[in-house]
C-alpha cells in the first residue's frame, strides 16, 4: 500500500541519515546562538559598567567603546556565517551517507564530489583552529569577572582574608580595559561590593559565562564535523563510494 511504501522510504532515510552531522549541526546552532547573543549583551553590559563606575572621562574608554562596537558587528557576521556553514556541512553529510545508495542503488562519487568533500575538510580544520582562539579569548572576561566577584566575596565576608577591606579593589586598568591614566580606574571596598550586588554586574557576569559555554559547544561541534568530514572523505577517496556517518 501507499502508506507502507511511505514508511519503508522513511525507514531507509533514517538508516542512512548522517547522525553525527545532525548532532553537530544542532550543537553548532545552539552554541553559536548562545555565544553571539549572550556575548553581544555582555559587551553592552560591560560598556555600561565601565562608564558608570570606573571612569568619568569619556576619552579614557573611547577606544574601548570602539572595540566593543566592532566586536558586536563581528558577532553578527559570525552568527550568519556559522548558520550557513552548518547547513552546508549537514548537506555534505547527507551526500556522503548511504541514504542515496539505499534508495537509488550504488553510485560512484564524481571527482567534483571528492573535491568538494576535501574542501569542507580543509575549511573545517581551519575554522576549528580559529575557534580554539575564540574559545580561549571568551574565557578572559569570565576570568576578570570571576576575580571581581571573588574580591567582593572577601569584602562581604572579612574572615576570608587578612587584608583590610579598603585595600581590596577591582582595577580595570590592570587588565588593559582602561589606560593607566584613567580616573579612578579602580573601585575598592564597600563601593566595589555595592557594584557586585547590582543587577547589571550579575547579569553581565552570567552572560559572559553563557557565551563561554556557547563557544565550548561550538568548538565541540566543529571537532565532530572535522572527524565526520575526514572519515567521509577518506572513504570517498579509498572506496569511491558514499558511506554512512
Amino acid at each position: 500500500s501507499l502508506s507502507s511504501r511511505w514508511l519503508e522510504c522513511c525507514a531507509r532515510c533514517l538508516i542512512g541519515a548522517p547522525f553525527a552531522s545532525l548532532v553537530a549541526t544542532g550543537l553548532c546552532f545552539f552554541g553559536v546562538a548562545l555565544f553571539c547573543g549572550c556575548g553581544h549583551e555582555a559587551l553592552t553590559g560591560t560598556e555600561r559598567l565601565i562608564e558608570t563606575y570606573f571612569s568619568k572621562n569619556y576619552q579614557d574608554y573611547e577606544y574601548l567603546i570602539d572595540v566593543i562596537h566592532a566586536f558586536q558587528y563581528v558577532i553578527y557576521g559570525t552568527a550568519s556565517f556559522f548558520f550557513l556553514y552548518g547547513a552546508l556541512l549537514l548537506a555534505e553529510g547527507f551526500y556522503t551517507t548511504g541514504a542515496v545508495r539505499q534508495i537509488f542503488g550504488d553510485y560512484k562519487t564524481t571527482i567534483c564530489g571528492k573535491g568538494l568533500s576535501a574542501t569542507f575538510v580543509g575549511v573545517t580544520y581551519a575554522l576549528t583552529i580559529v575557534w580554539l582562539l575564540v574559545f580561549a579569548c571568551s574565557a578572559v572576561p569570565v576570568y576578570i569577572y570571576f576575580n571581581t566577584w571573588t574580591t567582593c566575596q572577601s569584602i562581604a565576608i572579612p574572615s576570608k582574608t587578612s587584608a583590610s577591606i579598603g585595600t581590596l579593589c577591582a582595577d580595570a586598568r590592570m587588565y588593559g580595559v582602561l589606560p593607566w591614566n584613567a580616573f579612578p580606574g579602580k573601585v575598592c571596598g564597600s563601593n566595589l561590593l555595592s557594584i557586585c550586588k547590582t543587577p547589571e554586574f550579575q547579569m553581565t557576569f552570567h552572560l559572559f559565562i553563557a557565551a563561554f559555554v556557547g563557544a565550548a559547544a561550538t568548538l565541540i561541534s566543529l571537532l565532530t564535523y572535522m572527524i565526520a568530514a575526514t572519515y567521509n572523505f577518506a572513504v570517498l577517496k579509498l572506496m569511491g563510494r558514499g558511506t554512512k556517518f
Side-chain angles (χ1 to χ4, degrees), residues 84-233:
L84 176 61
Y85 191 68
L88 290 174
L89 283 176
L90 181 60
E92 193 273 342
F94 272 103
Y95 171 74
T96 53
T97 60
V100 176
R101 185 178 62 226
Q102 291 281 346
I103 298 173
F104 297 107
D106 289 344
Y107 67 101
K108 293 289 184 180
T109 305
T110 63
I111 295 177
C112 181
K114 293 179 182 179
L116 188 62
S117 295
T119 300
F120 275 118
V121 171
V123 173
T124 306
Y125 266 86
L127 282 176
T128 302
I129 294 174
V130 172
W131 201 260
L132 276 171
L133 298 176
V134 174
F135 174 70
C137 290
S138 68
V140 174
V142 175
Y143 170 77
I144 294 174
Y145 274 87
F146 178 76
N147 277 353
T148 304
W149 178 82
T150 302
T151 303
C152 286
Q153 293 299 106
S154 299
I155 296 172
I157 309 175
S159 59
K160 283 190 172 184
T161 178
S162 59
S164 171
I165 291 178
T167 62
L168 297 175
C169 306
D171 193 342
R173 299 170 299 182
M174 67 180 293
Y175 299 110
V177 177
L178 292 174
W180 281 107
N181 60 352
F183 181 81
K186 65 178 181 178
V187 181
C188 304
S190 58
N191 291 331
L192 177 60
L193 181 59
S194 64
I195 293 174
C196 289
K197 291 180 178 179
T198 60
E200 291 84 1
F201 178 87
Q202 295 290 334
M203 180 61 71
T204 303
F205 184 21
H206 287 90
L207 283 171
F208 271 123
I209 293 174
F212 177 73
V213 172
T218 305
L219 180 60
I220 293 172
S221 73
L222 284 173
L223 290 172
T224 306
Y225 275 134
M226 186 173 66
I227 294 170
T230 302
Y231 175 79
N232 287 334
F233 174 70

Side-chain angles (χ1 to χ4, degrees), residues 14 19 26 41 68 76 87 106 141 167 169-170 193 195 217 226 239 243:
L14 287 174
F19 291 107
E41 293 304 312
I68 287 176
Y76 296 144
D106 289 344
T167 62
C169 306
L193 181 59
I195 293 174
M226 186 173 66
M239 305 295 294
T243 186

